C-alpha cells in the first residue's frame, strides 16, 4: 500500500468485527491508495481470474489492500483548515480512488456536518470502478409498460458515464429476474452522442447472449482493452454466434492493446484474420481456438509483450495438431516477455526458435500439456538466457518424454532463472538427475511432479540433493495425484506437498 500527501490531518480507521485499527497519520496528512500490480501475470498462475463471473460489480478490480478491512471509517482530527463541502468532495475522491467496490461499501464518514452531508452515491466517486451494463437502467429497454425503461435525465446519465473507463456485462440470476435486457439502440445512441468516449476497457461474460451489443460496442472510439468469456454447454448452437462476435472484434479500433478471449467451444483460427491490423497489441490471450490455422495472422503484432495461446481448451482438442513451423511466423515478435503455449504437441527446437534468437528477451515461458515434447527443446531453452521462470507442466495423462541428464544440462545456461517447474518429465528414479543443474545459482522455487508418490527415504535424498545443488533455493513443491497437502521445513528449505490433476490451476512462482 502506498500513500499520497494531503494538506489536511486525518485519521483512517480500519474496522474488523472486534477491533479498530487506528493508523497514525504522518505530517502532513496522507491519504491511502493501493499499489498498482498490473505486471503480475494472473493468467499463468491463477487463470480463474478471467473465467469466473464478475464479483460485486468489480471485474477486473484493483488488487486488495493488505489491511483486513479497508476504509470502514474516515475520522478527522487536528484540522488546521475547515473545508467546505466542495473541498470535502475533492478530499473524499482522493480517498476512494484506490478502493474496490466492496471496500467502498464499508466506507462511512465521521466528522463535520459538511463531510457527513457528502453523497457517497455520487457517480463521480465511483468512476474508477467498472460499471455493470446489465444492471444500469439507462442501458435497458422498457417492457411496454414503462417498467425497466430509463427515466434518468440525460445530465444524470452523463454524470454516471463521465470518466468511466470500464464496462462489464455479466449475466446473473438477479439480472434474469428483471426481464429487461440491454438495448442495442440505447447503446448505439449513447456512443453516437459521446457519452461513452471515456470507455477504454470492456469485460463481457456469456458473450454469445450479447452479440448485438458487442456489435454496437465495437464502435467505441477509445477502446484499448477487451475481455470476452463464454462458458456454456451447447457448442453447436453457440459456435455461429461466437464466430459472428469475432467478426465484430475485427471491426474494433486498431488501437486495441489488450485482447483476452476464452471460449469453451472451439472457433477456427481463420476467424483471427483481424489480428493482422492490431499493430499496437501488447497482450494477447486466446483459449478455445483451433490454432492449426491462424498463427500466421499474429506476425504483424510486433508490440506484443505477453502471448498466451491454447490450442483448443480444457474440454476439447481440435482434430488437427498445430504445425510447429507455423510458430516461425512469430520470429519478429522481439518484444515478447511472457509466453504461454498450451496443447502444442510434438514441439522441437523448430517451434521454440522464435523465442531463443539473439534479439529475444523472453523472461517467462510456460509449456503446458505440450505432449511428446522433444528433448532437443532443452537445447533451445538453454539459449533463452533472459528466462526468470520456466514451467514445463504436464499431467499424469499426457504422453511425455523423460529428460535425461545430458538434456537437462542445457538449462545450466539460465543464470537468471528463479523458478522452475518439471512435471512428469522425470521418473522417480531420475530425481537425482537434478544435481546436474548445479549452475542455477538464482533458483528460488522448484516445482516437480512425478507419477509415483515419493517415499520418506526418497524425499530425504531429494531434499539433500537440492540443498547442496541450489544455493538460493527456498521452496520445493512436490505434486502428485493423490498426495496429502502438507508443508514442513528442512533447514532453510520449505517443502510443500500438494495434489495436481488434469485441469488444476496451481501457483508456480
Amino acid at each position: 500500500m502506498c500513500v499520497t500527501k494531503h494538506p489536511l490531518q486525518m485519521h483512517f480507521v480500519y474496522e474488523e468485527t472486534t477491533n479498530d485499527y487506528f493508523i497514525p497519520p504522518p505530517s502532513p496528512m496522507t491519504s491511502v491508495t493501493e499499489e498498482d500490480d498490473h505486471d503480475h501475470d494472473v493468467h499463468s498462475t491463477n487463470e480463474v481470474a478471467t473465467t469466473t463471473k464478475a464479483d460485486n460489480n468489480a471485474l477486473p478490480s484493483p488488487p486488495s489492500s493488505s489491511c483486513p478491512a479497508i476504509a470502514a471509517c474516515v475520522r478527522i482530527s487536528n484540522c488546521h483548515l475547515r473545508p467546505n463541502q466542495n473541498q470535502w468532495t475533492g478530499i473524499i475522491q482522493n480517498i476512494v480512488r484506490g478502493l474496490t467496490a466492496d471496500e467502498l461499501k464499508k466506507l462511512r464518514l465521521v466528522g463535520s456536518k459538511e463531510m457527513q452531508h457528502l453523497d457517497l452515491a455520487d457517480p463521480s466517486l465511483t468512476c474508477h470502478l467498472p460499471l455493470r451494463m446489465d444492471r444500469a437502467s439507462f442501458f435497458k429497454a422498457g417492457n411496454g409498460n414503462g417498467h425497466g425503461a430509463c427515466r434518468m435525465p440525460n445530465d444524470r446519465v452523463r454524470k454516471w458515464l463521465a470518466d468511466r473507463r470500464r464496462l462489464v456485462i455479466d449475466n446473473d440470476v438477479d439480472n434474469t429476474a428483471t426481464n429487461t435486457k440491454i438495448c442495442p439502440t440505447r447503446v448505439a445512441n449513447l456512443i453516437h452522442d459521446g457519452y461513452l468516449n471515456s470507455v477504454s476497457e470492456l469485460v463481457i461474460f456469456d458473450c454469445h447472449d450479447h452479440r448485438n451489443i458487442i456489435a454496437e460496442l465495437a464502435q467505441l472510439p477509445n477502446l484499448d482493452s477487451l475481455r470476452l468469456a463464454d462458458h456454456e454447454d451447447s457448442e453447436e448452437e453457440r459456435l455461429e454466434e461466437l464466430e459472428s462476435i469475432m467478426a465484430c472484434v475485427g471491426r474494433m479500433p486498431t488501437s486495441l492493446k489488450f485482447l483476452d478471449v476464452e471460449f469453451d467451444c472451439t472457433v477456427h483460427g481463420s476467424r483471427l484474420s483481424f489480428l493482422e491490423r492490431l499493430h499496437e497489441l501488447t497482450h494477447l490471450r486466446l483459449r478455445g481456438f483451433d490454432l492449426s490455422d491462424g498463427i500466421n495472422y499474429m506476425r504483424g503484432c510486433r508490440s506484443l509483450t505477453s502471448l498466451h495461446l491454447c490450442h483448443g481448451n480444457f474440454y476439447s482438442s481440435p482434430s488437427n495438431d498445430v504445425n510447429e513451423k507455423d510458430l516461425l511466423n512469430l520470429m519478429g515478435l522481439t518484444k515478447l516477455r511472457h509466453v504461454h503455449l498450451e496443447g502444442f504437441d510434438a514441439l522441437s527446437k523448430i517451434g521454440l526458435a522464435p523465442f531463443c534468437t539473439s534479439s529475444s528477451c523472453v523472461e517467462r515461458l510456460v509449456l503446458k500439456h505440450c505432449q511428446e515434447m522433444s528433448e532437443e527443446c532443452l537445447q533451445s531453452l538453454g539459449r533463452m538466457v533472459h528466462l526468470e521462470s520456466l514451467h514445463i507442466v504436464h499431467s499424469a495423462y499426457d504422453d511425455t518424454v523423460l529428460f535425461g541428464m545430458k538434456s537437462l544440462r542445457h538449462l545450466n545456461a539460465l543464470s537468471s532463472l528463479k523458478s522452475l517447474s518439471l512435471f512428469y518429465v522425470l521418473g522417480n528414479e531420475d530425481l537425482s538427475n537434478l544435481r546436474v543443474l548445479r549452475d542455477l545459482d538464482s533458483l528460488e522455487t522448484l516445482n516437480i511432479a512425478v507419477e509415483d508418490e515419493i517415499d520418506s527415504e526418497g524425499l530425504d535424498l531429494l531434499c539433500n540433493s537440492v540443498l547442496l545443488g541450489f544455493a538460493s533455493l527456498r521452496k520445493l513443491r512436490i505434486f502428485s495425484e493423490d498426495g496429502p497437502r502438507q508443508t514442513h521445513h528442512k533447514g532453510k528449505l520449505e517443502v510443500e506437498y500438494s495434489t495436481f490433476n488434469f485441469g488444476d490451476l496451481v501457483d508456480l512462482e
Side-chain angles (χ1 to χ4, degrees), residues 64-79:
S64 299
S65 116
S66 57
C67 244
I70 192 171
C73 175
V74 179
R75 192 182 306 273
I76 306 305
S77 67
N78 301 324
C79 281

Side-chain angles (χ1 to χ4, degrees), residues 25 41 48 100 171 217 253 296 310 335 346 353 431 451 462 464 488:
D41 185 4
V48 74
T100 64
N171 289 346
L217 292 172
N296 58 303
C310 179
K335 294 183 179 180
L431 291 177
E451 188 169 351
L462 175 61
N464 292 332
H488 73 269

Side-chain angles (χ1 to χ4, degrees), residues 253-268:
T254 57
S255 58
L256 204 64
K257 294 181 175 62
F258 185 105
L259 179 60
D260 187 319
V261 184
E262 178 163 332
F263 296 152
D264 277 356
C265 64
T266 303
V267 175
H268 196 262

